Amino acid sequence: MLVLTRRLNQSIKIGDDVEITVIEVRGDQVRLGVSAPRDVAVHRKEVYLQIQQENRAAASVEDASGLDAIGDAFANAAKKQ
């Protein structure tokens, strides 16, 4: 992990396209601004983890039922021939 010290209005760069700027420091809270291209997803970690959990749950339910439906369709098509 890289640990940096930044002051108000100072930034860090991640690659060529992402810039994180310290917007405000108030007590134990720091407000950060993130500039990134539209195709780069930027989420708070807790939101990111929730999205990942929901994607895994959806994939396990939908994939299984979708595969069953495809298998049934192929079986029915084979019977008709």
Side-chain angles (χ1 to χ4, degrees):
M1 174 188 300
L2 173 65
V3 178
L4 300 170
T5 301
R6 299 279 72 200
R7 296 185 191 281
L8 191 62
N9 296 320
Q10 291 183 330
S11 300
I12 62 169
K13 293 284 288 181
I14 300 175
D16 293 331
D17 299 330
V18 179
E19 182 174 359
I20 300 173
T21 304
V22 178
I23 303 297
E24 179 181 16
V25 179
R26 186 184 302 170
D28 64 347
Q29 291 188 337
V30 177
R31 291 184 66 209
L32 302 173
V34 179
S35 296
R38 289 186 180 270
D39 63 329
V40 174
V42 178
H43 301 286
R44 295 187 328 258
K45 184 176 180 179
E46 63 273 15
V47 171
Y48 175 80
L49 294 174
Q50 182 66 32
I51 291 168
Q52 294 300 309
Q53 181 180 5
E54 290 176 10
N55 285 345
R56 282 191 297 275
S60 66
V61 171
E62 290 179 21
D63 286 349
S65 63
L67 290 176
D68 290 342
I70 292 170
D72 291 345
F74 279 124
N76 289 336
K79 288 179 186 177
K80 290 180 182 179
Q81 291 180 359

